[in-house]
Amino acid sequence: MKDWIASYITAQQKALAGVTPDMLAPLIGTLRDAYRADAQVFAIGNGGSAANASHFAVDLGKGASDVLPRRFRVLSLTDNVGWITAIGNDYCYEDIFVRQLMNYARPGDVVFGISVSGNSPNLVRAFDWAKATGVKTIALVGQKRGKMADLADQLVVIPDGHYGRVEDVQMNILHLICYAFWEHPEWVD
């Protein structure tokens, strides 16, 4: 058991080490620009990535915003179960994010897509719509990259295919982004 634990930790450290400051600084810059423009930030994902999207919205909207001159406009589209199930039932599951974006998103806003495979049809459909509408897209994906990688304006590929490890690194990245503003509020000036 201890050998397996050690190998898991080693693989986790390798996955995290594959993410560099050069990959993350542009994401912070995009969110800083969104903040300055009072643009809306949307977070989307499925399963563990949906939980990460929700956590990100809390940390950016509450934690980081608590120290800023005004609040980030951030919303996780994974959190309204009534709306998600109505869209999935009345249209299709692939539309659960794009139909919410149709109500909320405007050119210049940001969609932050979180996925291990990068191929979730509901995320790909949201990215297609965002691209056609002038909404900026950021993708955090695993090594498979998927269709989201081709559609994203900004992309971070986590060099692993293991769902747990990729989702853990996603959360590391999302925390880092939130704490960039939380610990350095002067960066929004």
Side-chain angles (χ1 to χ4, degrees), residues 16-29 154-156 173 176-177:
L16 183 57
V19 178
T20 67
D22 287 341
M23 296 164 72
L24 302 182
L27 307 186
I28 294 168
Q154 292 179 291
L155 172 68
V156 173
I173 292 168
L176 182 145
I177 291 167

Side-chain angles (χ1 to χ4, degrees), residues 19-49:
V19 178
T20 67
D22 287 341
M23 296 164 72
L24 302 182
L27 307 186
I28 294 168
T30 295
L31 292 181
R32 181 196 61 226
D33 293 346
Y35 176 87
R36 288 175 177 168
D38 200 29
Q40 181 76 44
V41 178
F42 302 98
I44 57 176
N46 293 295
S49 297

Side-chain angles (χ1 to χ4, degrees), residues 67-88:
V67 300
L68 297 173
R70 63 181 164 70
R71 312 203 61 83
F72 263 101
R73 295 180 58 239
V74 59
L75 180 66
S76 172
L77 300 183
T78 65
D79 293 338
N80 191 327
V81 175
W83 201 351
I84 289 169
T85 57
I87 293 169

